[in-house]
């Protein structure tokens, strides 16, 4: 893949044609909730991630956004296999890594690395920067011991730090510099996929831009694929050509960046986007008109039936409580999980999904509606999608 | 603009210095601003620029520490730096109160939310516990907590992040203070919750006509909330004026840097972010001259070594009274419109350039 393709910010083709390096299908992570007392029985599960499918192409980047508790960080940790998934598959470079044992994972660690959110707690304070960055080289025996130092210095230079500082300790660096050390450590083994979990949210605004630019340069130079997890919608939009929005453990909308930010079809994406305070508002003064969501995100231990967003959704109807909306492809690179998908203010009055699911408009099973259509549920996009104008499955 | 003496809050030449073993840390060094009732001031700057130190000085939180504080903080005509500890304690919470960034660590984990609200009320009002409880429930309801009569007996950890922040706001406003200081009130919250909290703050401000100081690093929040903006760098104000002037036509390179380093949800994605190079300076040993000069890309445009040697004064900018800036640049508008803005927002740059030429031809026409 050439750098031209990497920098291609146009939507369509680049997203569908390139070869996927990561395919995640129906990924699930349930954490047990234990009762108090001696027995510590399992009394329920936190459904942190519940059936998530997406793919990341080689050298591309996918953004994962959502509010705290939506499962985006858990997804990142599942892909790096810091957690063992409850269900589903993680196909990395042609191998399913979801069920691999600790030993079999060892070689994989070279290819998938992670950048953590907090540069203050993710670096061992008692190790020098040189030993932190050099550790992966020693563990994987990539280079002989006497060559490690020169490779470390090279890496320090790549991330914009002084190579002479390898002997210093993390506390001698500022927040932005520490995040660069974290990035250097992640780059040490030349990974194919980098999971960046909120890589800039702990940094000052002026430093954020430095780190984002650094990550972009590195991606261009080394062709690394990114799974970029963040809650800051503007940062994700700037970094990723394709973005998935998560809510309570599920992807509610996934699309190329222009579609997602200009024509979002899911009411949650619309609310999320309208909530971002805008600097340009200074010209007009006062607050921007926005969709106001009531209340908080429900508990993932006992999520709402049907659509998980329905308890806060401004357009929810009966069907939303009864049937869970499928993640339906509605454009060449656009999928949305809603019974009433549409641009802001133009949501259809009747649900579009009943015929596909074999139910009536209020969500009760309906024999007259015929059997449910087989809907593609996997990651990626297909050439046929549901045409919202004609309400039928159509072809491009 | 009114004269300084009639302002509700008037801070004059405030200095907060901390003596340390390595020397004096000048956390705040000569800060002045005014705030009217019912208005909001936004203070922006990076961590360590002195935002929080200045506001805790208004609350008298440095009393009893080794901090050396000088200047004047006039609240309704009374200098808060001159009043006794006893008097300050009486005013704290009644006239001035504060909302902290992290409500989980700002609330006591061993006491119920209601208990803490009641305490805040009973310190300043001689009422029975029963009456205080009624008042606490009333405040929780006002800030939008569902079932306040039940939630009043919950502990802070039983509240979600947004609800804790609401409870903090309820606690801050329970005595109807004239001045509310909100130190990064929404930084720890998600955007949808942030929008709820900002709405709430604005509603309450309208209702109680209180003055609000909102400390944040999010320029979007400032744009939507504040009437005036104060940009701080290394303990000093570097730009100060009405929000519209500061954010639409800023005249100080540091403010430019803040604006250009934040991606916008609507901006062109191919435009690169323009970060501010380097790191914030140490307050122990601030740079000579203009404190921003080591990171400023426009130093070469100022003749001589002025930026390095002479500290610029806070003077009126080109947009007339009320817009103050601390910079040697002779023609900031042109630099901003031609060099800074095109790099991160070409559309805005064109608009501003048109405006400037229009203004220019107007001036010539008048002559």
């Amino acid at each position: 893949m050439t750098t031209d393709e990497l920098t291609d910010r146009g939507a369509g083709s680049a997203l569908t044609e390139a070869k996927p390096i990561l395919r995640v299908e129906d990924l699930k992570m349930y954490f047990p909730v234990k009762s108090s007392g001696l027995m510590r029985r399992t009394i329920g599960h936190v459904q942190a991630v519940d059936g998530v499918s997406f793919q990341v192409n080689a050298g591309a980047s996918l953004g994962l956004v959502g509010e705290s508790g939506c499962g985006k960080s858990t997804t990142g940790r599942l892909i790096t296999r810091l957690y063992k998934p409850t269900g589903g598959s993680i196909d990395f470079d042609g191998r399913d890594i979801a069920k691999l044992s600790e030993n079999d994972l060892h070689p994989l660690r070279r290819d998938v690395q992670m950048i953590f959110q907090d540069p203050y707690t993710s670096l061992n304070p008692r190790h020098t920067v040189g030993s932190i960055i050099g550790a992966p080289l020693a563990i994987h025996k990539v280079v002989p011991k006497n060559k490690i130092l020169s490779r470390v210095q090279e890496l320090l230079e790549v991330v914009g730090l002084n190579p002479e500082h390898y002997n210093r300790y993390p506390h001698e660096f500022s927040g932005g510099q520490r995040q660069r050390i974290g990035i250097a450590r992640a780059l040490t083994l030349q990974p194919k996929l980098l999971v960046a979990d909120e890589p800039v949210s702990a940094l000052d605004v002026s430093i954020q831009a430095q780190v984002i630019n650094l990550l972009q340069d590195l991606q261009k130079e080394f062709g690394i694929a990114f799974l970029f997890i963040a809650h800051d919608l503007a940062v994700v939009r700037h970094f990723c050509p394709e973005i998935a929005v998560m809510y309570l453990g599920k992807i509610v909308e996934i699309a190329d960046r222009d579609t997602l930010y200009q024509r979002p079809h899911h009411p949650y994406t619309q609310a999320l986007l309208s909530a971002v305070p805008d600097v340009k508002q200074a010209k007009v003064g006062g607050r921007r008109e926005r969709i106001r969501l009531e209340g908080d995100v429900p508990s993932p231990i006992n999520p709402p039936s049907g659509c998980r967003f329905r308890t806060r959704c401004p357009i929810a109807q009966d069907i939303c409580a009864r049937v869970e909306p499928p993640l339906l492809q509605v454009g060449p690179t656009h999928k949305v999980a809603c019974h009433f998908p549409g641009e802001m203010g133009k949501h259809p009055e009747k649900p579009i999904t009943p015929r596909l699911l074999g139910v009536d408009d209020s969500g009760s099973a309906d024999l007259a509606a015929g059997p449910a259509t087989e809907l593609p549920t996997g990651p990626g996009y297909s050439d046929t999608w549901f045409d919202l104008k004609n309400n039928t499955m159509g072809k491009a | 603009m009114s004269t300084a003496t009639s302002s509700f809050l008037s801070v004059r030449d405030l200095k907060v210095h901390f003596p340390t073993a390595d020397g004096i840390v000048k956390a705040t060094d000569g800060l002045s601003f005014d705030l009217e009732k019912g208005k909001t001031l936004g203070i922006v700057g990076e961590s360590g620029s002195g935002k929080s130190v200045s506001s805790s000085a208004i609350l008298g939180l440095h009393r009893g520490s080794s901090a050396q504080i000088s200047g004047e903080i006039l609240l309704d005509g009374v200098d808060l730096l001159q009043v006794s500890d006893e008097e300050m304690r009486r005013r704290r919470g009644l006239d001035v109160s504060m909302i902290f960034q992290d409500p989980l660590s700002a609330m006591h984990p061993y006491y119920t939310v209601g208990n803490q609200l009641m305490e805040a009320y009973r310190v300043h009002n001689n009422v029975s516990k029963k009456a205080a409880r009624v008042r606490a429930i009333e405040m929780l309801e006002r800030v939008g907590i569902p079932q306040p009569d039940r939630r009043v007996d919950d502990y802070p950890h039983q509240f979600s992040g947004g609800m804790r922040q609401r409870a903090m706001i309820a606690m801050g406003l329970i005595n109807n203070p004239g001045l509310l200081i909100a130190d990064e009130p929404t930084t720890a919250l998600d955007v949808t919750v942030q929008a709820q909290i900002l709405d709430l703050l604005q509603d309450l401000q309208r209702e109680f006509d209180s003055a609000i100081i909102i400390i944040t690093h999010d320029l979007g929040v400032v744009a939507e909330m504040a009437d005036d903006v104060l940009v701080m760098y290394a303990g000093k104000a570097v730009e100060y004026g009405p929000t519209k002037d500061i954010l639409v036509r800023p005249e100080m390179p540091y403010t430019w840097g803040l604006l250009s380093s934040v991606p916008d949800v609507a901006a062109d994605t191919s435009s690169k972010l323009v970060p501010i190079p380097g790191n914030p300076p140490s307050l122990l040993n601030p740079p000579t001259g203009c404190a921003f000069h080591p990171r400023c890309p426009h130093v070469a445009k100022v003749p001589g070594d002025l930026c390095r040697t002479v500290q610029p004064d806070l003077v009126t900018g080109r947009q007339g009274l009320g817009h103050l800036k601390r910079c040697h640049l002779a023609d900031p508008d042109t630099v901003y419109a031609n060099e800074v803005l095109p790099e991160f927002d070409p559309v805005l740059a064109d608009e501003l350039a048109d405006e400037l030429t229009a203004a220019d031809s107007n001036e010539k026409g008048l002559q």
Side-chain angles (χ1 to χ4, degrees):
Chain A
M1 170 162 263
T2 65
T3 33
D4 281 349
E5 274 170 274
L6 288 179
T7 50
D8 180 16
R9 286 156 193 280
S13 57
L15 292 185
T16 41
E17 278 160 24
K19 184 176 158 289
I21 186 158
L22 177 74
R23 271 176 74 91
V24 172
E25 199 161 346
D26 201 24
L27 189 64
K28 288 191 176 123
M29 183 72 216
Y30 294 173
F31 294 102
V33 182
K34 306 271 187 189
S35 64
S36 52
L38 263 181
M39 297 298 285
R40 301 199 58 78
R41 279 176 304 121
T42 301
I43 50 170
H45 285 98
V46 174
Q47 305 178 8
V49 176
D50 194 17
V52 165
S53 304
F54 59 84
Q55 67 179 38
V56 184
N57 292 338
S61 39
L62 174 73
L64 220 48
V65 293
E67 295 180 276
S68 33
C70 73
K72 54 189 194 307
S73 289
T74 307
T75 308
R77 283 168 183 241
L78 284 169
I79 285 161
T80 43
R81 276 298 312 272
L82 295 177
Y83 295 142
K84 196 171 168 60
T86 313
S89 68
I90 307 169
D91 193 336
F92 178 77
D93 219 7
R95 268 176 84 197
D96 185 4
I97 60 169
K99 291 174 192 74
L100 288 187
S101 68
E102 224 23 72
N103 268 337
D104 294 337
L105 274 172
H106 194 71
L108 169 93
R109 303 262 181 236
R110 284 179 66 164
D111 291 335
V112 186
Q113 288 285 320
M114 189 152 180
I115 301 169
F116 295 91
Q117 171 174 5
D118 186 353
Y120 292 86
T121 53
S122 58
L123 300 176
N124 190 334
R126 297 174 62 151
H127 286 201
T128 62
V129 169
S131 72
I132 288 173
I133 299 176
L137 292 172
I139 291 169
H140 288 273
K141 304 192 180 65
V142 186
V143 291
K145 269 214 171 102
N146 53 6
K147 295 268 173 59
I148 287 183
L149 182 61
S150 60
R151 175 86 184 115
V152 165
Q153 289 185 320
E154 225 173 274
L155 282 161
L156 282 172
E157 200 149 10
V158 167
V159 297
L161 292 170
N162 187 339
E164 301 305 315
H165 288 172
Y166 66 90
N167 236 345
R168 297 194 175 185
Y169 287 90
H171 74 264
E172 296 175 76
F173 294 89
S174 68
Q177 287 171 321
R178 284 177 199 223
Q179 197 57 302
R180 286 169 192 267
I181 295 168
I183 293 170
R185 173 176 61 183
L187 287 176
T188 311
L189 296 168
Q190 297 167 319
K192 292 177 186 154
L193 176 71
L194 255 181
V195 177
D197 189 2
E198 304 264 11
V200 296
S201 47
L203 306 175
D204 260 320
V205 274
S206 71
I207 310 299
Q208 274 192 12
Q210 293 177 7
V211 173
I212 292 171
N213 285 349
L214 170 69
L215 289 175
Q216 264 180 340
D217 292 344
L218 291 173
Q219 181 178 32
K220 265 183 220 163
E221 199 175 327
F222 301 111
I224 307 168
F226 268 84
L227 183 67
F228 194 97
I229 301 165
H231 68 274
D232 187 327
L233 291 144
V235 168
V236 173
R237 177 175 178 274
H238 184 83
F239 197 86
C240 308
E242 190 188 9
I243 293 149
V245 181
M246 286 185 74
Y247 185 79
L248 261 187
K250 285 187 185 293
I251 291 180
V252 295
E253 189 161 12
I254 179 167
D256 61 90
R257 102 177 102 199
D258 292 341
T259 308
L260 192 84
Y261 282 76
Q262 278 155 27
R263 293 178 284 113
H265 275 51
H266 197 285
Y268 178 63
T269 316
Q270 289 159 359
L272 204 58
L273 283 171
S274 85
V276 180
D278 189 1
V279 183
K280 294 208 173 70
Q281 192 64 25
K283 221 168 181 172
V284 194
R287 303 291 305 282
R288 196 153 64 103
E289 268 310 303
R290 54 172 46 103
I291 309 169
R292 287 170 165 82
L293 289 182
E294 297 295 321
D296 291 308
V297 183
S299 154
I301 299 176
N302 200 359
S305 64
C307 172
R308 294 189 170 188
F309 182 57
R310 71 174 164 89
T311 50
R312 303 169 77 197
C313 181
I315 58 166
Q317 294 186 18
D318 290 349
I319 187 174
C320 302
R322 295 204 180 111
V323 190
E324 191 187 325
L327 189 61
L328 189 66
Q329 187 169 346
V330 296
T333 51
H334 188 186
K335 285 182 176 181
V336 58
C338 180
H339 291 301
F340 303 90
E343 285 181 46
M344 190 114 99
K346 288 186 225 157
H347 292 281
E349 275 167 25
K350 283 189 167 181
I352 59 146
T353 42
R355 269 199 299 148
L356 302 171
L357 300 170
V359 293
D360 66 11
D361 281 0
S362 64
S364 316
D366 185 4
L367 292 175
T373 323
E374 194 75 7
L375 287 170
T377 53
Y381 302 102
S382 69
D383 330 331
T384 52
W385 61 81
F386 189 83
D387 188 354
L388 286 177
K389 282 200 189 89
N390 306 323
N391 262 354
T392 46
M393 289 300 277
K395 213 173 157 61
Chain B
M1 284 200 86
S2 54
T3 52
T5 42
S6 74
S7 285
F8 175 62
L9 172 72
S10 171
V11 173
R12 291 277 153 264
D13 198 27
L14 176 68
K15 288 182 181 163
V16 184
H17 292 179
F18 297 99
T20 67
D22 299 320
I24 291 178
V25 172
K26 298 177 179 173
T28 303
D29 203 19
L31 188 70
S32 304
F33 61 84
D34 294 285
L35 185 59
E36 302 291 337
K37 274 210 142 170
K39 295 282 181 196
T40 305
L41 171 75
I43 304 185
V44 289
E46 289 172 272
S47 21
S49 60
K51 308 180 297 247
S52 300
V53 167
S54 319
S55 54
S56 20
I58 298 174
L59 218 59
L61 294 183
H62 297 303
R63 285 165 184 256
S65 77
S66 61
Q68 301 160 349
I69 306 179
S70 64
E72 279 182 344
I73 300 172
L74 295 165
L75 184 74
D76 234 354
V78 182
D79 189 350
L80 294 184
L81 291 180
Q82 302 304 324
V83 301
S84 66
D85 284 0
E86 197 49 44
E87 173 70 10
M88 189 66 228
R89 175 189 283 240
R90 205 187 59 75
R91 287 173 179 274
R92 199 180 291 139
L94 189 63
D95 296 342
V96 196
S97 71
M98 188 147 174
I99 300 169
F100 295 92
Q101 172 176 356
D102 180 4
L104 190 57
S105 55
M107 283 189 142
H108 200 297
Y110 281 8
Y111 292 91
T112 62
V113 171
N115 241 321
Q116 299 181 54
L117 280 162
M118 283 156 65
E119 188 192 351
Y121 191 58
R122 293 188 72 210
V123 165
H124 298 291
N125 297 278
N126 191 12
V127 293
S128 69
K129 273 192 174 159
K130 214 169 165 188
R133 189 182 156 88
V134 171
R135 171 80 181 148
I137 295 174
E138 188 186 309
M139 280 313 289
L140 286 178
E141 183 162 21
R142 181 65 200 81
V143 296
I145 288 184
Q147 300 170 301
D149 47 333
R150 278 181 47 205
R151 301 308 295 255
V152 72
D153 294 320
D154 278 356
Y155 289 90
H157 74 266
Q158 291 170 294
F159 277 31
S160 72
M163 275 164 60
R164 272 198 293 267
Q165 198 55 286
R166 284 168 192 269
M168 276 290 292
I169 293 174
M171 199 192 296
L173 291 176
I174 201 162
N175 296 309
N176 288 345
L179 173 65
L180 183 68
I181 301 171
D183 189 351
E184 307 260 11
T186 58
T187 308
L189 305 176
D190 287 314
V191 277
T192 55
V193 183
Q194 164 171 296
Q196 292 171 0
I197 298 289
L198 295 182
D199 280 345
L200 174 66
L201 273 178
Q202 264 180 342
D203 287 352
L204 294 170
Q205 179 174 37
R206 242 171 265 138
E207 195 176 321
F208 298 110
D209 196 33
S210 38
I212 296 183
I213 297 179
I214 187 160
I215 300 170
T216 177
H217 61 266
D218 187 335
L219 291 167
V221 171
V222 168
E224 298 203 3
M225 294 289 289
D227 300 291
D228 289 322
V229 185
L230 178 73
V231 183
M232 286 191 74
Y233 189 76
K236 290 191 170 67
V238 291
E239 197 159 7
Y240 174 43
T243 306
K244 192 178 164 186
D245 288 354
I246 300 278
L247 294 184
V248 178
R249 282 171 70 176
E251 297 191 15
M252 159 81 198
Y254 178 62
T255 318
W256 300 344
L258 286 181
L259 283 166
S260 70
S261 52
V262 192
D264 190 277
V265 271
D268 181 10
T269 41
S270 58
S271 57
K272 215 167 155 62
L273 299 180
V274 189
I276 306 175
N279 288 302
S282 146
L283 296 173
L284 207 52
N285 245 327
T288 56
C290 172
F292 187 57
H293 88 255
R295 304 175 73 190
C296 182
H298 306 283
V299 171
K301 296 189 185 74
V302 177
D305 237 2
L306 221 52
C307 289
R308 242 175 299 275
T309 49
V310 182
Q311 154 110 252
D313 290 325
L314 197 60
V315 293
T316 305
R318 292 161 59 86
Q319 293 166 63
L321 283 174
H323 186 161
L324 302 171
K325 55 142 186 184
R326 193 189 288 277
C327 183
H328 288 304
L329 269 183
D331 193 8
D333 267 349
T334 328
V335 179
Y336 185 61
N338 297 339
E339 288 181 39
V340 182
L341 210 43
E343 278 198 66
F344 73 95
D345 199 335
V347 184
L348 266 187
D350 290 346
E351 276 174 31
L352 186 60
D354 290 347
E355 250 173 64
L356 286 181
T357 39
D360 251 11
S361 50
N362 266 350
E363 262 171 44
K364 276 180 195 140
L366 285 176
Q367 284 166 358

